[in-house]
Amino acid sequence: MWLAACARYAPLLLVAAGWELAVLSGAISPNFLPRFSAVIETLWELLRSFELPGEVGISLLRQSIGFGLAVVFGVAVGVAMARLRLVDRALRPLVTLCYPVPVVALFPVLVLMVGLDDRLQVIVILLGSILPTIVSSFNAARGVDQYLIWSARNLGTSSRRTLWKIVIPAALPEILSGIRTSLAFSFVLLVAAEQLGADRGIGAFALRAGQNGFYPGMFAAILTIGLMGFAADRIYLALMRWMLRWQEQE
Amino acid sequence: MGAIDAVGVAKRYRLDRKREVTALEGVDLEVGQNEFVALVGPSGCGKSTFLYMVGGFLEVSEGRILINGAPVRGPGPDRGIVFQHFALFPWLTVRRNVLYGLEERRIALDERHRIARELIALVGLAGFEEAYPKQLSGGMKQRVAIARTLALDPEILLMDEPFGALDAQTREMMQEELLRIWGVRKKTVLFVTHDVREAVYLADRVAVMTARPGKIKALIDTRHDRSQGAVALMASPEFARRANEIWELVREEALAAQRLEARSGDLGRPSQP
């Protein structure tokens, strides 16, 4: 098992080794790029001193709130749009118009409106993740097999109740994989929003470390961000597999 | 008065603002209590559409369909349906699929489980209660679908090419299964198929439909003596004669349908829901 894991992550190990060698051999000046081993050392110190875990905690809290809200409302709105004509009529133009607008374009407006506190990061993550969630949930609920709905109707489920009994479970695989894409994107937004000028958070830490010339700390923070996203994806994937254990594997 | 009475039934689909397609026109059919009627015809003749209208999933554009004298108003538990691609709920186990309708109808808990057990045994799936549909073969899936439909003990069974997606051996087995189950639980059956031999083998009467716009072209009595078993029956000259007679009728219509399609391009094919 260890061997398999090593083989799988061999490319990463190669990059790390290349990085280390490039700096050691003098091909890249250590003033530009600290050695990989120095970054890992700094990471370990920052973890031990609880400096980094505190920033990570704050970032994860912002991410969870923003992303959690986006999932709850995004799925609800997307499914409702797919199955209820009135909701579709009311929201379709808004969604279509907003979908291609990058949240980044709204940064100045948002900073002006809510300032630089925690609400900013939460709102950025919420806005950035909710639209893809709406669109993927909409498509998932739209594509539900008509015969499943007919079967349920035939077995006594009212038209209204088919939404809960059939549409949501049948659309779940596609909804969940749409959410997975949003999850990855939410980490991008988190860091971007924190670098707009937050006091705390891993993104703010990375920015500050860079500005202060504390490069090993900056790289340690970047590495941490990558690991956060990776861990979140693995946990989500396990949850998704468990929820879809009935699904056919291709 | 039959279990199912269709009088002058028509179905039209709007293609766009100007064009519409008539899938069915002037369909009259009476199916008696506990009678097994098979509906055959060239593909695209609207036989499934007719079945969906009897099931209450589609509305009739013209005419009326009565169930025991009362007009169809949406789907109802008196008419159970089995689809070609099974339409099992993949997130539920075999047991929960069969229980679904009983739960929706709020049948008492122990009664529910008794019925489910009995039906799972009837279709020969005892031991597979906790399997998910993905773990079953096509034939097994269709058995689950039949059990799920029979759980509510519908008076009428509507079957939409139920064995069309199965391989030949499984299909033959399922046909005999169906006759066995039908023997245990007498029901009125309306059975759509494009397989003429299947229709002649299973049905009391076979209704042949014309090319689009579909209507009933002929009704042929196919009651036979089944006491000698399926193999003897299918080998009998009487069976062959009837199957040929019906095959000829269907072939004429299939040719007519081809000409129609050649004339109108592919346009006007009613969109199957």
Side-chain angles (χ1 to χ4, degrees):
Chain A
M1 204 186 123
W2 275 103
L3 213 64
C6 282
R8 192 153 171 209
Y9 295 112
L12 286 180
L13 293 175
L14 277 176
V15 170
W19 175 350
E20 186 76 21
L21 283 175
V23 184
L24 270 180
S25 68
I28 300 175
S29 154
N31 292 331
F32 284 114
L33 187 71
R35 279 185 299 124
F36 180 70
S37 52
V39 171
I40 296 295
E41 218 168 285
T42 310
L43 179 63
W44 176 241
E45 270 162 32
L46 288 169
L47 285 175
R48 246 191 2 191
S49 64
F50 286 100
E51 212 172 324
L52 219 46
E55 307 299 329
V56 168
I58 288 168
S59 288
L60 280 182
L61 193 65
R62 290 166 176 161
Q63 193 273 342
S64 313
I65 296 172
F67 187 66
L69 289 172
V71 166
V72 171
F73 288 104
V75 171
V77 169
V79 172
M81 276 175 67
R83 308 306 303 191
L84 305 169
R85 186 168 298 168
L86 194 71
V87 180
D88 187 35
R89 288 246 171 98
L91 296 181
R92 178 87 75 100
L94 198 65
V95 170
T96 320
L97 194 73
C98 293
Y99 189 50
V101 178
V103 198
V104 186
L106 297 177
F107 277 179
V109 186
L110 290 173
V111 171
L112 213 61
M113 280 167 69
V114 298
L116 287 170
D117 59 15
D118 292 321
R119 286 176 306 166
L120 176 71
Q121 292 93 40
V122 169
I123 290 174
V124 165
I125 293 168
L126 171 64
L127 287 182
S129 336
I130 199 168
L131 280 163
T133 308
I134 290 175
V135 171
S136 69
S137 306
F138 173 80
N139 288 331
R142 259 296 181 80
V144 171
D145 183 3
Q146 180 67 49
Y147 290 103
L148 287 184
I149 294 171
W150 280 3
S151 285
R153 296 277 291 122
N154 189 240
L155 295 166
T157 307
S158 69
S159 186
R160 192 178 282 265
R161 251 170 75 80
T162 55
L163 193 66
W164 300 108
K165 297 290 289 183
I166 307 301
V167 174
I168 294 200
L172 202 59
E174 215 183 313
I175 290 176
L176 290 182
S177 65
I179 289 174
R180 191 178 169 202
T181 315
S182 299
L183 178 67
F185 190 51
S186 76
F187 280 94
V188 177
L189 292 171
L190 169 74
V191 173
E194 282 179 345
Q195 295 195 340
L196 281 177
D199 289 334
R200 307 284 313 266
I202 190 74
F205 181 92
L207 185 72
R208 223 172 25 243
Q211 284 165 346
N212 295 339
F214 178 30
Y215 294 128
M218 181 182 78
F219 280 104
I222 293 171
L223 208 59
T224 306
I225 294 164
L227 290 173
M228 280 163 69
F230 177 74
D233 185 61
R234 287 290 120 168
I235 293 167
Y236 182 79
L237 199 63
L239 181 76
M240 186 169 145
R241 289 227 172 100
W242 178 77
M243 285 176 82
L244 301 178
R245 59 197 175 283
W246 49 268
Q247 203 194 15
E248 284 178 68
Q249 306 291 328
E250 60 271 10
Chain B
M1 185 183 75
I4 305 171
D5 275 302
V7 187
V9 173
K11 179 70 187 173
R12 299 196 178 84
Y13 289 98
R14 273 233 103 78
L15 285 177
D16 50 39
R17 251 159 224 249
K18 283 186 192 130
R19 295 169 303 174
E20 64 172 21
V21 165
T22 307
L24 293 163
E25 183 131 62
V27 175
D28 298 303
L29 182 67
E30 184 181 329
V31 182
Q33 296 293 341
N34 294 341
E35 193 185 15
F36 195 132
V37 172
L39 211 50
V40 298
S43 54
C45 75
K47 47 193 192 299
S48 292
T49 303
F50 179 70
L51 197 79
Y52 300 156
M53 290 194 291
V54 177
F57 305 113
L58 298 177
E59 284 183 24
V60 296
S61 308
E62 213 175 89
R64 63 213 164 102
I65 297 175
L66 308 175
I67 303 300
N68 292 318
V72 168
R73 266 205 202 87
D78 53 336
R79 287 151 287 142
I81 192 157
V82 176
F83 294 109
Q84 181 178 5
H85 294 289
F86 330 124
L88 293 179
F89 306 130
W91 57 93
L92 300 180
T93 60
V94 167
R95 186 203 305 282
R96 296 288 312 279
N97 263 285
V98 177
L99 281 170
Y100 183 91
L102 300 163
E103 284 166 3
E104 289 297 279
R105 304 243 126 225
R106 297 174 195 286
I107 308 287
L109 205 65
D110 44 347
E111 177 73 355
R112 255 182 230 176
H113 285 277
R114 191 189 58 73
I115 297 173
R117 240 191 335 270
E118 197 182 304
L119 281 164
I120 291 171
L122 179 72
V123 299
L125 284 178
F128 289 93
E129 288 85 351
E130 304 310 320
Y132 283 102
K134 70 167 176 189
Q135 294 161 297
L136 305 178
S137 69
M140 289 162 97
K141 284 182 192 166
Q142 197 56 295
R143 286 163 196 261
V144 179
I146 291 171
R148 181 178 70 175
T149 303
L150 290 178
L152 292 180
D153 200 20
E155 211 186 302
I156 297 172
L157 201 50
L158 304 173
M159 306 191 89
D160 183 21
E161 301 201 33
F163 310 139
L166 307 178
D167 62 73
Q169 286 99 351
T170 314
R171 182 158 57 227
E172 266 173 43
M173 254 169 52
M174 291 297 292
Q175 289 164 355
E176 286 194 44
E177 276 290 293
L178 179 63
L179 283 180
R180 181 179 66 77
I181 293 166
W182 189 53
V184 181
R185 308 209 161 197
K186 271 291 176 193
K187 295 196 182 303
T188 306
V189 182
L190 187 56
F191 189 103
V192 165
T193 178
H194 59 254
D195 181 342
V196 170
R197 283 173 62 82
E198 177 174 80
V200 177
Y201 175 54
L202 293 173
D204 294 326
R205 281 193 298 158
V206 174
V208 180
M209 289 186 69
T210 64
R212 184 164 38 87
K215 56 178 164 298
I216 308 290
K217 177 188 173 102
L219 266 168
I220 290 136
D221 202 295
T222 49
R223 250 171 274 253
H224 11 238
D225 174 22
R226 297 181 198 282
S227 58
Q228 304 302 309
V231 181
L233 172 62
M234 294 220 213
S236 71
E238 177 62 12
F239 183 89
R241 196 183 57 72
R242 275 184 178 146
N244 271 334
E245 179 189 350
I246 293 169
W247 177 236
E248 275 308 315
L249 291 168
V250 175
R251 221 170 67 95
E252 281 169 24
E253 293 307 320
L255 290 173
Q258 251 173 34
R259 281 196 298 273
L260 195 78
E261 215 142 279
R263 232 187 6 248
S264 61
D266 210 19
L267 199 174
R269 204 198 187 91
S271 57
Q272 292 269 338

